[in-house]
Amino acid sequence: MKHRSLGIIILLILQFVLLTVISLGIFPQYQSWHGFDLQHYHRISLYLQQGLIPYRDFLLEYPPLALIPILLPQLLSPQVPLDGVDYAVGFVMVNLILTSLMGLGMALIPHPRPQQTLLGYLLLTVLLAPLLPWRYDLFPTLLTLGGLLGIIFNFPLLAGVALGLGIATKLYPVVLLPIWGLYFAVSRDWRGLGKLSLGAIVSTLLSCLPFWLLAGESFTSFLTYHKDRGLQIESLWAGLISLGHVLGLTEASSEMNFGAQHIVSPLAAPLLTLQPVIFVGMMLLIYGLAALVFRQEIRQSESIKLQSLVVFSLLSLLGFIVTNKVFSPQYLIWLLPFVPLLRWPAVTVVGVSFALTTTVSFVTRQLRLMYPPSVLMLNFRNLLLFGLVLSLLFSFYKKLSETPKKMSASHLANHTE
């Protein structure tokens, strides 16, 4: 037990040291690599310190609790307001701490080989280090990990509150709610389902209510902001259009709007129309298969396996990411609480996608100009993640289809003995 605890402590320290060293190495170049996002966060923090009301007095494209990680560097400094460089230093320091807290949370998850989980977490954070501490997505990701721990240790109200706070920070955790709700519903734990739902709904509403009262109708502007966006250049759909352009099958270019590069092509409008249909279909497929698998496991062992809960949580996030019209590089941060708990082949696939994402993100100009190697790397990354979704879905479908055969064979054997 001592050796196991020592190994966990060493891995956590090593993860923090490596991420810190990489961040220090990147910092001299942060203006060219991350300047746009950090300047935007810094500007928002200054607006807040001036007493301006978000949504009403200035545009905020994020849900209201995103203001917490954005404002934290200013609040933790004795000298406020910070200038742009000092704000960037504080922002990265806060995220380094959040990454270590996430590592501690991963160590709490019951696993026969916790060192393996933390080693996977270490490798993934290192691969994503050029992006990881430079975005605010670590904050909602830590909240989703808190929600997962709430379910594992049978605190459904805590899980719901953590999920609701995550939704009020980045919206994306809402896709986890059906999976976690199914976990309790299929188990016929109606009290747990009620607590999860109550925690998620109340915490989301209470987080948003003050801003809605202050900003009025302008509060929903962050929703319409994303609704009006086109195909972001790194999305699955834009990647296919870019590949078609490289192969001479269509014309394509890119333009900057909504704070990101978006694809311009005759194919963009038809794919924008098709995208919501495929997105809804994918999510329904994931939720439907989860319900069947959970029900099968309840029948067989009267409990749902932690691995199944983790994989379907990951699938809901991956399905959301790969079929969405926007695929910002930082979206992959959302996967960190779940991927290290998978088997190593799946961890490897995600790790390669992380490495490709950081590579593509730092050659955005080449991607914007449809430079063939960048387009191929982008499509390979998207294909890897989409293939992982299909592979995981097929493995569960195969498991479902094989179980009746095993039960029939067992039944026949009992009657012939």
Side-chain angles (χ1 to χ4, degrees):
M1 184 64 70
K2 287 184 178 179
H3 291 296
R4 176 179 291 190
S5 300
L6 181 61
I8 290 172
I9 293 170
I10 290 172
L11 286 170
L12 288 172
I13 294 173
L14 183 60
Q15 185 271 329
F16 179 81
V17 170
L18 287 175
L19 193 59
T20 301
V21 170
I22 296 172
S23 300
L24 288 172
I26 290 173
F27 202 84
Q29 308 297 327
Y30 93 89
Q31 285 285 6
S32 58
W33 290 354
H34 303 291
F36 180 86
D37 294 275
L38 287 174
Q39 288 168 15
H40 185 48
Y41 298 158
H42 180 234
R43 187 163 51 248
I44 292 171
S45 72
L46 293 178
Y47 288 156
L48 293 172
Q49 289 184 315
Q50 294 166 15
L52 300 181
I53 304 299
Y55 309 110
R56 188 191 72 185
D57 299 331
F58 65 93
L59 174 65
L60 182 66
E61 65 268 40
Y62 311 123
L65 291 195
L67 297 172
I68 295 176
I70 289 174
L71 192 57
L72 265 179
Q74 299 278 15
L75 297 179
L76 297 179
S77 170
Q79 296 178 338
V80 290
L82 297 174
D83 62 23
V85 176
D86 288 339
Y87 176 85
V89 173
F91 190 87
V92 171
M93 288 176 62
V94 168
N95 274 336
L96 290 174
I97 294 170
L98 293 181
T99 311
S100 294
L101 289 175
M102 199 178 304
L104 286 171
M106 298 296 298
L108 294 175
I109 296 176
H111 194 279
R113 293 178 295 279
Q115 295 98 329
Q116 179 178 309
T117 298
L118 287 179
L119 179 60
Y121 178 71
L122 182 152
L123 293 174
L124 291 171
T125 53
V126 167
L127 287 170
L128 209 57
L131 289 168
L132 191 63
W134 310 90
R135 301 292 189 275
Y136 88 83
D137 295 69
L138 272 167
F139 186 77
T141 303
L142 182 61
L143 287 170
T144 61
L145 174 59
L148 178 64
L149 289 171
I151 292 181
I152 291 172
F153 293 105
N154 198 28
F155 293 104
L157 182 62
L158 173 64
V161 170
L163 192 63
L165 296 177
I167 293 168
T169 305
K170 190 69 179 184
L171 287 182
Y172 82 86
V174 73
V175 302
L176 294 170
L177 185 56
I179 293 294
W180 295 1
L182 283 168
Y183 176 84
F184 289 104
V186 174
S187 304
R188 296 186 180 278
D189 183 357
W190 306 117
R191 179 175 294 182
L193 177 61
K195 289 181 177 180
L196 175 79
S197 304
L198 180 67
I201 294 170
V202 172
S203 59
T204 303
L205 291 178
L206 289 180
S207 300
C208 295
L209 183 61
F211 296 90
W212 177 71
L213 292 175
L214 290 170
E217 294 181 358
S218 302
F219 173 69
T220 57
S221 59
F222 72 95
L223 296 173
T224 55
Y225 177 92
H226 294 286
K227 180 180 71 68
D228 295 337
R229 294 184 67 170
L231 297 177
Q232 188 256 352
I233 198 168
E234 294 180 54
S235 66
L236 173 70
W237 317 104
L240 293 174
I241 293 174
S242 299
L243 183 62
H245 175 81
V246 168
L247 297 175
L249 302 177
T250 187
E251 292 295 324
S253 61
S254 67
E255 65 179 9
M256 184 75 173
N257 52 50
F258 294 92
Q261 291 289 332
H262 292 74
I263 203 80
V264 177
S265 168
L267 294 178
L271 284 178
L272 266 174
T273 303
L274 183 64
Q275 177 267 326
V277 178
I278 295 178
F279 169 78
V280 171
M282 174 64 78
M283 301 312 293
L284 289 176
L285 175 62
I286 292 168
Y287 297 147
L289 189 60
L292 294 174
V293 170
F294 290 172
R295 186 174 66 176
Q296 181 192 71
E297 292 180 354
I298 287 291
R299 287 175 175 174
Q300 291 177 343
S301 59
E302 298 183 355
S303 65
I304 296 170
K305 295 177 182 177
L306 172 60
Q307 188 74 3
S308 298
L309 173 66
V310 167
V311 174
F312 276 109
S313 297
L314 175 67
L315 274 170
S316 66
L317 294 174
L318 277 174
F320 175 82
I321 292 170
V322 298
T323 60
N324 210 325
K325 63 180 179 179
V326 177
F327 189 163
S328 295
Q330 62 267 26
Y331 288 6
L332 293 180
I333 296 172
W334 308 346
L335 309 180
L336 284 175
F338 307 99
V339 177
L341 299 168
L342 304 184
R343 295 184 176 89
W344 273 103
V347 175
T348 302
V349 170
V350 176
V352 172
S353 74
F354 278 18
L356 288 169
T357 298
T358 55
T359 304
V360 170
S361 297
F362 291 122
V363 290
T364 305
R365 183 173 182 275
Q366 287 88 331
L367 185 62
R368 186 172 73 245
L369 298 174
M370 311 293 167
Y371 186 53
S374 299
V375 171
L376 290 175
M377 277 195 295
L378 171 67
N379 279 276
F380 183 51
R381 189 279 306 269
N382 292 343
L383 180 63
L384 273 179
L385 292 176
F386 190 70
L388 179 61
V389 171
L390 295 181
S391 174
L392 292 173
L393 287 173
F394 181 74
S395 66
F396 278 114
Y397 172 77
K398 188 177 179 182
K399 179 183 175 183
L400 281 173
S401 61
E402 287 178 351
T403 299
K405 296 178 183 178
K406 292 180 181 178
M407 293 179 65
S408 298
S410 176
H411 181 73
L412 180 62
N414 290 334
H415 279 274
T416 54
E417 287 179 354

